Short mmCIF file of all heavy atoms in Angstrom, two decimals:
data_model
loop_
_atom_site.label_atom_id
_atom_site.label_comp_id
_atom_site.label_asym_id
_atom_site.label_seq_id
_atom_site.Cartn_x
_atom_site.Cartn_y
_atom_site.Cartn_z
N LEU A 3 -2.96 -47.49 24.98
CA LEU A 3 -2.29 -48.27 23.99
C LEU A 3 -2.04 -49.71 24.56
O LEU A 3 -2.21 -50.69 23.79
CB LEU A 3 -0.96 -47.67 23.60
CG LEU A 3 -1.03 -46.36 22.76
CD1 LEU A 3 0.37 -45.72 22.67
CD2 LEU A 3 -1.67 -46.63 21.41
N ALA A 4 -1.69 -49.84 25.81
CA ALA A 4 -1.46 -51.18 26.41
C ALA A 4 -2.75 -51.95 26.45
O ALA A 4 -2.83 -53.14 26.13
CB ALA A 4 -0.89 -50.97 27.78
N LEU A 5 -3.85 -51.26 26.78
CA LEU A 5 -5.18 -51.92 26.83
C LEU A 5 -5.53 -52.49 25.48
O LEU A 5 -5.92 -53.62 25.33
CB LEU A 5 -6.19 -50.91 27.33
CG LEU A 5 -7.63 -51.37 27.43
CD1 LEU A 5 -7.81 -52.35 28.61
CD2 LEU A 5 -8.61 -50.20 27.54
N ARG A 6 -5.36 -51.65 24.47
CA ARG A 6 -5.69 -52.04 23.10
C ARG A 6 -4.77 -53.18 22.67
O ARG A 6 -5.21 -54.12 21.93
CB ARG A 6 -5.57 -50.94 22.19
CG ARG A 6 -6.63 -49.82 22.35
CD ARG A 6 -6.44 -48.63 21.48
NE ARG A 6 -7.37 -47.53 21.68
CZ ARG A 6 -7.27 -46.35 21.16
NH1 ARG A 6 -6.24 -46.08 20.36
NH2 ARG A 6 -8.23 -45.45 21.37
N ALA A 7 -3.50 -53.15 23.07
CA ALA A 7 -2.59 -54.18 22.66
C ALA A 7 -2.94 -55.55 23.29
O ALA A 7 -2.87 -56.57 22.60
CB ALA A 7 -1.14 -53.82 23.12
N GLY A 8 -3.43 -55.51 24.47
CA GLY A 8 -3.88 -56.77 25.14
C GLY A 8 -5.09 -57.32 24.38
O GLY A 8 -5.18 -58.55 24.11
N TRP A 9 -6.03 -56.46 24.07
CA TRP A 9 -7.23 -56.89 23.25
C TRP A 9 -6.79 -57.51 21.86
O TRP A 9 -7.18 -58.55 21.50
CB TRP A 9 -8.17 -55.76 23.09
CG TRP A 9 -9.28 -56.03 22.12
CD1 TRP A 9 -9.31 -56.03 20.79
CD2 TRP A 9 -10.65 -56.36 22.53
NE1 TRP A 9 -10.49 -56.32 20.26
CE2 TRP A 9 -11.37 -56.55 21.30
CE3 TRP A 9 -11.25 -56.51 23.77
CZ2 TRP A 9 -12.67 -56.90 21.36
CZ3 TRP A 9 -12.66 -56.86 23.76
CH2 TRP A 9 -13.32 -57.05 22.58
N ASN A 10 -5.84 -56.75 21.23
CA ASN A 10 -5.47 -57.20 19.86
C ASN A 10 -4.64 -58.51 19.98
O ASN A 10 -4.78 -59.28 19.00
CB ASN A 10 -4.64 -56.09 19.24
CG ASN A 10 -5.50 -54.88 18.86
OD1 ASN A 10 -6.71 -54.96 18.63
ND2 ASN A 10 -4.89 -53.73 18.80
N TYR A 11 -3.90 -58.69 21.00
CA TYR A 11 -3.13 -59.93 21.15
C TYR A 11 -4.15 -61.06 21.24
O TYR A 11 -3.89 -62.16 20.58
CB TYR A 11 -2.31 -59.84 22.40
CG TYR A 11 -1.38 -61.10 22.56
CD1 TYR A 11 -0.12 -61.10 21.87
CD2 TYR A 11 -1.75 -62.19 23.29
CE1 TYR A 11 0.71 -62.20 22.02
CE2 TYR A 11 -0.95 -63.33 23.46
CZ TYR A 11 0.28 -63.30 22.79
OH TYR A 11 1.09 -64.42 22.92
N GLY A 12 -5.12 -61.00 22.02
CA GLY A 12 -6.18 -62.06 22.12
C GLY A 12 -6.83 -62.30 20.74
O GLY A 12 -7.04 -63.39 20.37
N GLU A 13 -7.11 -61.19 20.01
CA GLU A 13 -7.79 -61.23 18.79
C GLU A 13 -6.94 -61.93 17.65
O GLU A 13 -7.49 -62.60 16.80
CB GLU A 13 -8.16 -59.86 18.29
CG GLU A 13 -8.90 -59.74 17.04
CD GLU A 13 -10.34 -60.12 17.14
OE1 GLU A 13 -10.93 -60.18 18.26
OE2 GLU A 13 -10.98 -60.43 16.12
N THR A 14 -5.62 -61.74 17.67
CA THR A 14 -4.78 -62.16 16.61
C THR A 14 -3.93 -63.41 16.80
O THR A 14 -3.52 -64.06 15.88
CB THR A 14 -3.83 -61.03 16.16
OG1 THR A 14 -3.01 -60.65 17.26
CG2 THR A 14 -4.68 -59.83 15.71
N THR A 15 -3.61 -63.62 18.08
CA THR A 15 -2.68 -64.77 18.36
C THR A 15 -3.40 -66.09 18.18
O THR A 15 -4.62 -66.23 18.44
CB THR A 15 -2.04 -64.63 19.79
OG1 THR A 15 -1.10 -65.69 19.95
CG2 THR A 15 -3.10 -64.82 20.85
N GLU A 16 -2.66 -67.13 17.90
CA GLU A 16 -3.25 -68.52 17.84
C GLU A 16 -3.40 -69.14 19.22
O GLU A 16 -4.06 -70.19 19.33
CB GLU A 16 -2.31 -69.38 16.95
CG GLU A 16 -2.28 -68.90 15.51
CD GLU A 16 -3.59 -69.05 14.74
OE1 GLU A 16 -4.37 -69.93 15.11
OE2 GLU A 16 -3.82 -68.27 13.79
N ALA A 17 -2.72 -68.58 20.23
CA ALA A 17 -2.69 -69.18 21.54
C ALA A 17 -4.12 -69.27 22.14
O ALA A 17 -4.43 -70.17 22.86
CB ALA A 17 -1.68 -68.47 22.46
N PHE A 18 -4.89 -68.19 21.95
CA PHE A 18 -6.18 -68.09 22.55
C PHE A 18 -7.21 -68.41 21.47
O PHE A 18 -7.57 -67.49 20.65
CB PHE A 18 -6.43 -66.74 23.19
CG PHE A 18 -5.49 -66.46 24.35
CD1 PHE A 18 -4.22 -65.94 24.14
CD2 PHE A 18 -5.88 -66.82 25.64
CE1 PHE A 18 -3.35 -65.67 25.18
CE2 PHE A 18 -4.98 -66.59 26.68
CZ PHE A 18 -3.77 -65.99 26.49
N ALA A 19 -7.78 -69.55 21.41
CA ALA A 19 -8.62 -69.96 20.33
C ALA A 19 -10.10 -69.81 20.68
O ALA A 19 -10.99 -70.08 19.85
CB ALA A 19 -8.33 -71.39 19.95
N THR A 20 -10.43 -69.50 21.97
CA THR A 20 -11.81 -69.47 22.36
C THR A 20 -12.10 -68.23 23.16
O THR A 20 -11.27 -67.82 24.00
CB THR A 20 -12.09 -70.73 23.21
OG1 THR A 20 -11.75 -71.91 22.49
CG2 THR A 20 -13.59 -70.77 23.58
N THR A 21 -13.22 -67.62 22.83
CA THR A 21 -13.79 -66.60 23.70
C THR A 21 -14.88 -67.14 24.53
O THR A 21 -15.45 -68.23 24.17
CB THR A 21 -14.20 -65.32 22.90
OG1 THR A 21 -15.27 -65.79 22.06
CG2 THR A 21 -13.12 -64.69 22.05
N TYR A 22 -15.23 -66.44 25.60
CA TYR A 22 -16.25 -66.98 26.50
C TYR A 22 -17.38 -65.97 26.76
O TYR A 22 -17.10 -64.73 26.82
CB TYR A 22 -15.67 -67.37 27.81
CG TYR A 22 -14.56 -68.42 27.70
CD1 TYR A 22 -13.18 -68.01 27.53
CD2 TYR A 22 -14.84 -69.80 27.64
CE1 TYR A 22 -12.18 -68.94 27.42
CE2 TYR A 22 -13.84 -70.69 27.45
CZ TYR A 22 -12.51 -70.30 27.37
OH TYR A 22 -11.48 -71.22 27.17
N GLU A 23 -18.59 -66.46 26.85
CA GLU A 23 -19.75 -65.59 27.09
C GLU A 23 -20.37 -65.97 28.36
O GLU A 23 -20.78 -67.10 28.62
CB GLU A 23 -20.76 -65.71 25.94
CG GLU A 23 -21.98 -64.87 26.06
CD GLU A 23 -23.01 -65.23 25.03
OE1 GLU A 23 -22.68 -65.83 24.02
OE2 GLU A 23 -24.18 -64.74 25.25
N VAL A 24 -20.47 -64.96 29.27
CA VAL A 24 -21.26 -65.10 30.48
C VAL A 24 -22.41 -64.12 30.39
O VAL A 24 -22.27 -62.88 30.40
CB VAL A 24 -20.39 -64.77 31.78
CG1 VAL A 24 -21.32 -65.00 32.96
CG2 VAL A 24 -19.16 -65.64 31.78
N ALA A 25 -23.61 -64.62 30.24
CA ALA A 25 -24.89 -63.78 29.98
C ALA A 25 -25.17 -62.96 31.12
O ALA A 25 -24.67 -63.14 32.25
CB ALA A 25 -25.99 -64.72 29.57
N ARG A 26 -26.02 -61.98 30.89
CA ARG A 26 -26.58 -61.12 31.92
C ARG A 26 -27.33 -61.97 32.97
O ARG A 26 -27.95 -62.99 32.68
CB ARG A 26 -27.48 -60.05 31.35
CG ARG A 26 -26.77 -58.99 30.51
CD ARG A 26 -27.76 -58.06 29.92
NE ARG A 26 -27.06 -56.93 29.30
CZ ARG A 26 -26.64 -56.89 28.04
NH1 ARG A 26 -26.71 -58.06 27.35
NH2 ARG A 26 -26.02 -55.87 27.55
N ALA A 27 -27.31 -61.50 34.24
CA ALA A 27 -28.02 -62.16 35.29
C ALA A 27 -29.45 -61.56 35.37
O ALA A 27 -29.63 -60.35 35.00
CB ALA A 27 -27.32 -61.96 36.61
N SER A 28 -30.43 -62.39 35.72
CA SER A 28 -31.78 -61.93 35.98
C SER A 28 -31.89 -61.42 37.36
O SER A 28 -32.07 -62.21 38.37
CB SER A 28 -32.72 -63.05 35.72
OG SER A 28 -34.06 -62.67 35.90
N LEU A 29 -31.76 -60.06 37.51
CA LEU A 29 -31.90 -59.44 38.86
C LEU A 29 -33.17 -58.64 38.96
O LEU A 29 -33.75 -58.29 37.92
CB LEU A 29 -30.74 -58.47 39.05
CG LEU A 29 -29.31 -59.09 39.01
CD1 LEU A 29 -28.19 -58.04 39.06
CD2 LEU A 29 -29.15 -60.09 40.12
N PRO A 30 -33.65 -58.41 40.13
CA PRO A 30 -34.87 -57.62 40.31
C PRO A 30 -34.71 -56.25 39.62
O PRO A 30 -33.63 -55.70 39.58
CB PRO A 30 -35.04 -57.41 41.83
CG PRO A 30 -34.36 -58.61 42.43
CD PRO A 30 -33.17 -58.92 41.48
N SER A 31 -35.77 -55.74 38.99
CA SER A 31 -35.67 -54.47 38.23
C SER A 31 -35.21 -53.33 39.13
O SER A 31 -35.58 -53.26 40.28
CB SER A 31 -36.99 -54.16 37.51
OG SER A 31 -38.02 -54.00 38.56
N GLY A 32 -34.52 -52.44 38.55
CA GLY A 32 -34.06 -51.25 39.25
C GLY A 32 -32.78 -50.75 38.66
O GLY A 32 -32.24 -51.29 37.72
N THR A 33 -32.24 -49.71 39.26
CA THR A 33 -30.96 -49.15 38.86
C THR A 33 -29.87 -49.67 39.80
O THR A 33 -30.01 -49.54 41.02
CB THR A 33 -30.99 -47.60 38.93
OG1 THR A 33 -32.05 -47.09 38.08
CG2 THR A 33 -29.65 -47.00 38.49
N TYR A 34 -28.83 -50.25 39.22
CA TYR A 34 -27.74 -50.86 39.98
C TYR A 34 -26.43 -50.14 39.75
O TYR A 34 -26.26 -49.56 38.73
CB TYR A 34 -27.64 -52.32 39.58
CG TYR A 34 -28.70 -53.27 40.05
CD1 TYR A 34 -29.89 -53.31 39.39
CD2 TYR A 34 -28.53 -54.02 41.19
CE1 TYR A 34 -30.88 -54.17 39.77
CE2 TYR A 34 -29.51 -54.88 41.64
CZ TYR A 34 -30.74 -54.96 40.87
OH TYR A 34 -31.74 -55.78 41.33
N ARG A 35 -25.56 -50.25 40.69
CA ARG A 35 -24.16 -49.89 40.57
C ARG A 35 -23.31 -50.88 41.35
O ARG A 35 -23.82 -51.52 42.38
CB ARG A 35 -23.93 -48.47 40.98
CG ARG A 35 -24.27 -48.18 42.44
CD ARG A 35 -23.47 -47.01 43.04
NE ARG A 35 -22.04 -47.37 43.20
CZ ARG A 35 -21.08 -46.49 43.57
NH1 ARG A 35 -21.44 -45.27 43.81
NH2 ARG A 35 -19.84 -46.90 43.70
N GLN A 36 -22.07 -51.02 40.96
CA GLN A 36 -21.12 -51.79 41.77
C GLN A 36 -20.76 -50.94 42.95
O GLN A 36 -20.58 -49.79 42.90
CB GLN A 36 -19.86 -52.01 40.83
CG GLN A 36 -18.65 -52.54 41.63
CD GLN A 36 -17.33 -52.17 40.95
OE1 GLN A 36 -17.40 -51.59 39.85
NE2 GLN A 36 -16.23 -52.38 41.62
N ILE A 37 -20.67 -51.61 44.10
CA ILE A 37 -20.36 -50.87 45.29
C ILE A 37 -19.49 -51.71 46.28
O ILE A 37 -19.70 -52.98 46.32
CB ILE A 37 -21.62 -50.38 46.00
CG1 ILE A 37 -21.32 -49.19 46.94
CG2 ILE A 37 -22.33 -51.54 46.73
CD1 ILE A 37 -22.54 -48.43 47.35
N THR A 38 -18.57 -51.17 46.94
CA THR A 38 -17.84 -51.79 48.05
C THR A 38 -18.52 -51.65 49.39
O THR A 38 -19.39 -50.74 49.53
CB THR A 38 -16.42 -51.26 48.17
OG1 THR A 38 -16.41 -49.89 48.57
CG2 THR A 38 -15.69 -51.34 46.80
#
């Protein structure tokens, strides 16, 4: 519920007027995962 509320706040409030897009990176083909 908190997660959805944060999303909805950005969607409905006048304070945040812009969304941002960072496109996919061109990486060598393969299967990736995030790792520490």
Side-chain angles (χ1 to χ4, degrees):
L3 290 174
L5 179 73
R6 293 174 180 172
W9 173 280
N10 292 333
Y11 185 85
E13 181 76 17
T14 58
T15 186
E16 296 293 334
F18 296 88
T20 305
T21 60
Y22 302 93
E23 177 187 347
V24 181
R26 290 176 172 84
S28 179
L29 300 173
S31 62
T33 302
Y34 288 82
R35 59 154 290 176
Q36 166 208 354
I37 201 164
T38 66

